[in-house]
């Protein structure tokens, strides 16, 4: 059960703009710490309300106990006489804990395997025996009330005598036995509960729980929590006078506050050589109040986090600039939806909210995201990379829309694109039904992008199971979420490494098809960058004039005989014209693609018309393509194509539209000159050509390579 109120309730509770503005930072959100502080303030307002102690309380830690039997146990301590004593008639109170008791028990949880919570109220472990529950109750007096930090805080409070009386009672003989006996009499077996005290200061008064009795309990709680902010791990007293990095106020700052994203940890000494944990307040100065508010951000921060490829990816929404009251209500609603998003990723949930809330749409560029990936290499050892405050929802959404447009183009949809020049031929590349990267629905694409599967299907997998900051799949995901372009050389390297790993008994044409769809989408969305010779690869497809009508006036592109060659030529010409990386002034890349296209088409012919199991692609796999071998491989393949043409009594050369362009391109390649491309680039475009060629068949199962054999054409 969540204590978070629905957005409408939050809005009613904080409808007063002036009052809400007073609870918000008075400066713009410019850093992750600012953002976490805002999250912590909104969470505290929603769950514990305002007031000076609200940020220190943790009411959400025990909502699972609501309405459970025997979930609240307390010592009934009578302080109205000369000496403190347990109530003689009913020393133990046992109730069902509920939401109405949250403020009264004033619980402040402490994340420690051993030790006690900051508040006098302490949560037991799960399903504890009555004897163990009695021990927890006894420790409210012997451990909490007698603690040095608690005692020091009580000494400065007018009601400090209450804490002293509890400590004094804890020293009473046989007190533990009395508590155990009372617990045994009133508990019905094992339980999980909050254990605390209720005190009575007047003979005719009522027993009051800590939050009702006196602020001394909360003052002492705050003091103990403060002590953990300055003395945790190897630090013993990390506190000093400095300027708070969130509020900008000068004053005492602490150095060992917890961090929901694990950015600043005492054990991360490798990030700060020679680091002294006691001087952490200099490195990361935040005041006590800011520190606990940052810690309270964890629920909202965790809602914006998901795990993929060995890393936690964070996608934290915020509004650029100073947060106003209306902004705060909208941001709370957005975070509330993220907490209740179920299996939906933060990206998907945020996009759904964006579509449903007009004010978010009106914000435009103000609606931003902090994006980062955090990898845990071992216990409490984290690596943070790729973090950015400038992520926008529009970058990943535009990528999915660009991907949609690519899939709906004639490259992948022969029937759905009116600009496709050759309706009788297949689309340029295959689209297998069981690959979700080929599903054109926006919601599906957004899901596979958000979860990282978008890059897992196309990039090289990690070398081992251990998470690594060098995993480019994670870096690509973070970059796309934050709107940062990817280096196209690196992308091609990832592609080819994956293809070489996949290449086995069959050519990985589906993988190539998926990679090219992604490459086109990234380019169209402006998410690729390339230097010098790689600039054309980073450019989007250039839509050119469609020659279909001109061709159909005299030579309709039919796949049922005589004009398949013309249809293929028109298709190839349009593909080359629309692909900047394959322009005539890019002979190396163009030559690699045409060589691959010829290998692919001959391979397709061998498989379909001759039923061969060993084909041309088996003889010339991807790894065979290098700069020095390119021309020789092309010469060998051209010779084989001529032999096939003669053996099958073709009227001309098989696949002449590819052959003619390949023969024209090869002389332009100067292998001994200044070679601008590397082997990876050539191999990718060779692979792309193979996939193109293998898919370049007409719908007729009886199609011949360039129309009918010569003898049959003469009969016609």
């Amino acid at each position: 059960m969540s204590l978070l109120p629905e957005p409408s309730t939050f809005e009613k509770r904080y409808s007063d703009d002036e009052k809400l503005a007073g609870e918000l930072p008075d400066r713009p959100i410019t850093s992750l710490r600012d953002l976490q502080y805002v999250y912590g303030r909104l969470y505290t307002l929603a769950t514990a309300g305002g007031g000076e102690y609200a940020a220190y309380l943790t009411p959400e830690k025990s909502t699972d106990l609501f309405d459970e039997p025997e979930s609240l146990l307390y010592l009934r301590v009578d302080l109205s006489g000369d000496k403190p004593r347990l109530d003689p008639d009913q020393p133990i109170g046992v109730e069902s804990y509920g939401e109405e008791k949250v403020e009264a028990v004033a619980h402040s949880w402490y994340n420690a395997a051993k030790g006690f919570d900051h508040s006098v109220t302490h949560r037991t472990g799960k399903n504890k025996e009555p004897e163990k529950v009695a021990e927890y109750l006894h420790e409210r007096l012997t451990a909490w009330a007698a603690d040095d930090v608690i005692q020091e805080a009580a000494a400065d409070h007018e009601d400090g005598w209450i804490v002293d009386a509890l400590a004094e009672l804890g020293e009473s003989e046989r007190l533990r036995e009395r508590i155990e006996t009372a617990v045994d009499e009133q508990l019905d077996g094992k339980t999980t509960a909050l254990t605390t005290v209720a005190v009575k200061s007047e003979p005719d008064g009522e027993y009051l729980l800590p939050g009702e009795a006196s602020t001394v309990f909360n003052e002492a709680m705050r003091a103990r929590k403060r002590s953990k902010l300055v003395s945790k791990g190897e630090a013993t007293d990390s506190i000093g006078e400095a300027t708070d990095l969130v509020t900008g106020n000068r004053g005492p700052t602490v150095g060992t506050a917890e961090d929901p994203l694990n950015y600043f940890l005492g054990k991360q000494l490798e990030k700060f050589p020679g680091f002294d944990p006691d001087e952490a307040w200099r490195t990361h100065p935040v005041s006590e109040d800011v520190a606990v508010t940052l810690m309270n951000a964890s629920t909202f921060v965790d809602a914006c986090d998901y795990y993929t490829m060995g890393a936690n990816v964070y996608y934290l929404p915020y509004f650029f600039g100073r947060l106003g009251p209306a902004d705060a209500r909208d941001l709370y609603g957005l975070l509330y939806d993220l907490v209740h998003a179920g299996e939906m990723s933060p990206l998907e949930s945020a996009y759904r909210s964006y579509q449903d809330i007009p004010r978010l749409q009106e914000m435009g560029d103000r609606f931003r995201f902090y994006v980062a990936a955090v990898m845990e290499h071992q216990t409490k050892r984290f690596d943070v990379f790729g973090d950015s405050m400038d992520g926008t929802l529009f970058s990943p959404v535009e990528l999915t829309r660009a991907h949609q447009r690519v899939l709906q183009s004639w490259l992948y949809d022969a029937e759905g694109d009116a600009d496709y020049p050759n309706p009788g031929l297949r689309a340029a590349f295959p689209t297998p039904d069981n690959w979700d990267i080929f599903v054109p629905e926006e919601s599906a694409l957004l899901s596979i992008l958000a979860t990282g599967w978008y890059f897992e299907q196309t990039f090289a997998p990690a070398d081992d199971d251990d998470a690594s900051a060098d995993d480019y799949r994670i870096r690509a995901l973070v970059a796309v979420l934050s709107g940062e372009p990817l280096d196209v050389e690196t992308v091609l390297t990832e592609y080819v490494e994956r293809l070489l790993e996949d290449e086995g008994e069959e050519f990985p044409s589906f993988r190539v098809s998926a990679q090219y769809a992604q490459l086109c989408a990234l380019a169209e969305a402006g998410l690729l960058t390339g230097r010098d010779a790689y600039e054309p690869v980073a450019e989007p497809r250039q839509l050119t004039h469609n020659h279909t009508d001109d061709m159909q006036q005299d030579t309709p592109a039919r796949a049922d005989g005589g004009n398949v060659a013309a249809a293929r030529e028109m298709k190839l010409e349009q593909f080359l014209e629309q692909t900047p990386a394959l322009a005539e002034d890019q002979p190396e890349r163009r030559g690699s693609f045409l060589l691959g296209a010829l290998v692919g088409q001959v391979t397709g012919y061998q498989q379909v018309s001759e039923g061969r199991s060993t084909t041309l692609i088996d003889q010339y796999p991807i790894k065979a393509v290098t700069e020095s071998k390119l021309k020789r491989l092309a010469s060998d393949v051209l010779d084989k194509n001529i032999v096939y043409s003669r053996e099958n009594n073709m009227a001309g050369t098989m696949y002449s539209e590819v052959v003619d362009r390949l023969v024209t391109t090869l002389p332009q390649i100067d292998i001994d000159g200044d070679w601008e491309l590397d082997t990876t680039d050539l191999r990718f475009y060779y692979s792309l050509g193979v996939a193109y060629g293998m898919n370049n068949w007409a719908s007729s199962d009886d199609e011949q390579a360039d129309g009918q054999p010569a003898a049959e054409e003469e009969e016609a």
Side-chain angles (χ1 to χ4, degrees):
M1 178 178 179
S2 172
L3 276 180
L4 290 174
E6 293 187 357
S8 59
T9 303
F10 183 89
E11 186 169 348
K12 290 178 182 177
R13 186 182 299 173
Y14 297 102
S15 59
D16 186 324
D17 283 358
E18 185 176 350
K19 181 179 179 181
L20 180 55
E23 298 282 357
L24 303 174
D26 59 359
R27 68 179 200 174
I29 298 173
T30 59
S31 69
L32 172 62
R33 282 292 173 266
D34 292 336
L35 180 54
Q36 287 179 307
Y37 181 76
V38 167
Y39 279 19
R41 287 301 302 145
L42 291 177
Y43 185 81
T44 299
L45 290 171
T47 58
E52 61 178 317
Y53 304 111
Y56 293 81
L57 301 176
T58 56
E60 75 285 355
K61 293 300 182 181
S62 294
T63 56
D64 59 314
L65 301 181
F66 282 177
D67 302 324
E68 292 295 323
E70 302 178 342
S71 53
L72 174 61
L73 286 86
Y74 50 89
L75 297 175
R76 291 161 56 88
V77 182
D78 185 354
L79 303 179
S80 63
D82 294 336
K83 288 188 176 183
R85 63 173 186 168
L86 287 183
D87 187 279
D89 299 322
Q90 187 183 348
I92 304 295
V94 180
E95 297 181 17
S96 175
Y97 180 56
E99 189 170 354
E100 74 284 355
K101 294 288 185 181
V102 167
E103 187 174 347
V105 301
H107 182 219
S108 180
W109 179 74
Y110 176 46
N111 183 17
K114 294 183 179 181
F116 53 88
D117 290 345
H118 299 300
S119 58
V120 66
T121 301
H122 178 83
R123 178 175 170 131
T124 72
K126 187 175 181 180
N127 294 328
K128 292 300 181 180
E129 298 281 357
E131 181 181 357
K132 189 64 177 177
V133 174
E135 180 183 336
Y136 285 127
L137 286 167
H138 189 232
E139 287 176 346
R140 303 307 89 226
L141 311 177
T142 60
W144 187 86
D147 180 74
D148 290 342
V149 174
I150 301 296
Q151 284 286 310
E152 290 177 13
D156 295 330
H157 194 281
E158 62 180 356
D159 289 336
W161 66 272
I162 296 177
V163 175
D164 291 339
L166 294 178
E168 180 184 345
L169 178 60
E171 297 175 356
S172 302
E173 293 183 8
R174 304 190 66 182
L175 179 69
R176 173 70 177 270
E177 289 82 352
R178 288 191 61 199
I179 295 175
E180 288 182 355
T181 299
V183 170
D184 280 334
E185 290 175 353
Q186 293 187 250
L187 269 193
D188 185 20
K190 297 179 181 180
T191 189
T192 306
L194 291 176
T195 55
T196 188
V197 298
V199 299
K200 181 176 73 169
S201 57
E202 298 293 336
D204 297 329
E206 297 180 359
Y207 284 98
L208 301 177
L209 290 166
E212 304 166 321
S214 171
T215 57
V216 70
F217 287 104
N218 281 333
E219 281 290 343
M221 170 273 296
R222 181 164 64 177
R224 188 169 190 278
K225 194 161 189 175
R226 181 193 300 122
S227 72
K228 296 303 179 183
L229 298 176
V230 301
S231 60
K232 186 174 64 174
E234 298 180 24
T236 58
D237 190 25
S238 182
I239 188 170
E241 187 83 8
T243 299
D244 187 295
L245 59 81
V246 173
T247 65
N249 298 328
R250 185 79 180 177
T253 59
V254 297
T256 58
E258 294 178 22
D259 174 20
L261 266 72
N262 300 301
Y263 270 34
F264 294 91
L265 300 176
K267 292 185 179 180
Q268 286 186 310
L269 304 183
E270 74 281 2
K271 300 297 183 184
F272 305 96
F275 176 64
D276 181 354
D278 278 334
E279 299 296 309
W281 61 272
R282 299 181 186 275
T283 308
H284 182 242
V286 293
S287 67
E288 170 197 330
D289 288 342
V290 168
V292 295
T293 302
L294 294 177
M295 292 160 64
N296 287 345
S298 60
T299 295
F300 285 152
V301 169
D302 291 346
C304 303
D305 151 49
Y306 59 99
Y307 187 80
T308 181
M309 293 180 285
N312 287 87
V313 176
Y314 291 88
Y315 195 64
L316 282 60
Y318 74 100
F319 304 137
F320 182 75
R322 182 174 175 179
L323 198 70
D327 296 334
R329 298 182 193 106
D330 286 337
L331 183 56
Y332 175 79
L334 192 60
L335 294 170
Y336 178 90
D337 288 342
L338 282 163
V339 170
H340 296 86
E343 296 299 319
M344 191 177 296
S345 70
L347 169 59
E348 295 170 274
S349 178
Y351 186 50
R352 183 180 64 179
S353 296
Y354 174 81
Q355 292 175 308
D356 294 340
I357 303 175
R359 256 185 57 85
L360 294 181
Q361 300 169 24
E362 295 168 4
M363 286 187 178
D365 288 343
R366 283 199 65 211
F367 187 25
R368 298 191 183 182
F369 294 82
Y370 169 82
V371 183
V374 179
M375 286 185 173
E376 182 175 5
H377 298 292
Q378 51 181 298
T379 304
K380 301 300 181 182
R381 293 294 190 275
F382 297 88
D383 193 2
V384 183
F385 65 94
D387 59 323
S388 170
M389 289 293 295
D390 294 325
T392 70
L393 188 62
F394 310 110
S395 173
V397 170
E398 175 52 34
L399 176 57
T400 59
R401 290 176 177 173
H403 196 97
Q404 274 185 295
R405 292 191 290 272
V406 171
L407 294 181
Q408 292 166 353
S409 73
W410 67 269
L411 295 179
Y412 293 90
D413 187 355
E415 298 179 357
D417 188 349
D419 292 333
Y420 184 51
N422 306 292
L425 295 178
R426 291 181 181 180
F429 299 101
T431 54
D433 294 336
N434 60 338
W435 284 53
D436 49 15
I437 200 170
F438 295 112
V439 177
E441 284 77 17
E442 182 179 273
S443 59
L445 289 172
L446 200 63
S447 177
I448 67 168
L449 172 61
T451 58
W453 183 232
Y454 187 70
F455 295 108
E456 284 190 84
Q457 293 179 89
T458 56
F459 284 12
D463 293 334
D464 50 46
D465 295 333
D466 295 331
S468 168
D470 296 328
D471 190 336
Y472 199 69
R473 300 172 302 170
I474 287 289
R475 292 192 173 274
L477 174 59
V478 172
V480 166
L481 291 177
S482 57
E484 295 294 328
L486 304 175
D487 176 62
V488 75
E489 291 181 68
T490 307
V491 171
L492 293 181
T493 298
E494 292 289 324
Y495 285 170
V496 172
E497 286 182 6
R498 182 61 180 267
L499 295 179
L500 291 174
E501 183 174 295
D502 286 355
E503 192 175 40
E505 295 182 2
E506 295 183 359
F507 177 77
S509 58
F510 293 167
R511 187 79 63 196
V512 176
S513 180
Q515 290 173 339
Y516 189 63
Q518 186 179 84
L519 187 71
C520 290
L522 288 168
E524 187 172 331
L527 292 171
L528 287 179
T529 183
R531 59 174 178 80
D532 302 329
Y534 289 89
E535 289 183 13
V537 183
E539 294 180 21
R541 292 171 54 235
Q542 304 296 317
L543 299 181
T544 59
H545 173 62
N546 177 4
H547 302 290
T548 304
D549 295 337
D550 298 337
M551 182 186 73
Q552 288 182 341
Q553 290 179 4
D554 303 311
T555 56
R558 295 170 18 245
D560 57 354
N563 213 21
V564 174
R568 284 206 185 100
E569 179 151 12
M570 181 67 66
K571 176 181 175 182
L572 179 60
E573 182 63 25
Q574 183 158 324
F575 182 76
L576 294 174
E577 286 183 3
Q578 292 185 356
T579 310
L582 299 179
E584 291 184 0
D585 62 351
Q586 305 288 321
E588 298 96 342
R589 201 176 280 125
R590 186 183 179 101
S592 296
F593 172 80
L594 291 170
L595 171 60
L598 185 57
V599 169
Q601 292 200 184
V602 173
T603 293
Y605 172 80
Q606 292 173 321
Q607 291 173 336
V608 174
S609 300
E610 299 191 349
R612 291 195 180 189
S613 58
T614 300
T615 62
L616 211 57
I617 187 58
D618 298 315
Q619 297 175 263
Y620 302 98
I622 300 171
K623 62 184 178 182
V625 178
T626 64
E627 298 94 323
S628 60
K629 294 181 180 178
L630 183 62
K631 283 190 173 183
R632 180 174 61 80
L633 291 179
S635 178
D636 291 346
V637 173
L638 286 168
D639 289 344
K640 288 181 181 294
N641 186 61
I642 292 174
V643 171
Y644 268 115
S645 301
R646 291 173 178 172
E647 287 180 353
N648 288 278
N649 298 318
M650 297 296 172
T653 305
M654 289 175 63
Y655 312 120
S656 58
E657 75 282 358
V658 180
V659 170
D660 293 346
R661 288 171 173 78
L662 181 57
V663 170
T664 303
T665 302
L666 287 175
Q668 301 177 46
I669 302 175
D670 184 6
I671 295 178
D672 299 323
D674 294 330
W675 191 266
E676 295 187 75
L677 307 181
D678 62 17
T679 303
T680 296
D681 193 306
L682 299 181
R683 285 176 173 174
F684 175 75
Y685 280 95
Y686 172 76
S687 303
L688 186 67
V690 173
Y692 176 97
M694 291 182 70
N695 205 56
N696 201 21
W697 291 89
S699 55
S700 169
D701 292 336
D702 298 326
E703 175 200 0
Q704 296 292 331
D706 264 352
Q708 305 298 319
E712 293 186 16
E713 288 190 347
E714 292 174 356
E715 291 176 2

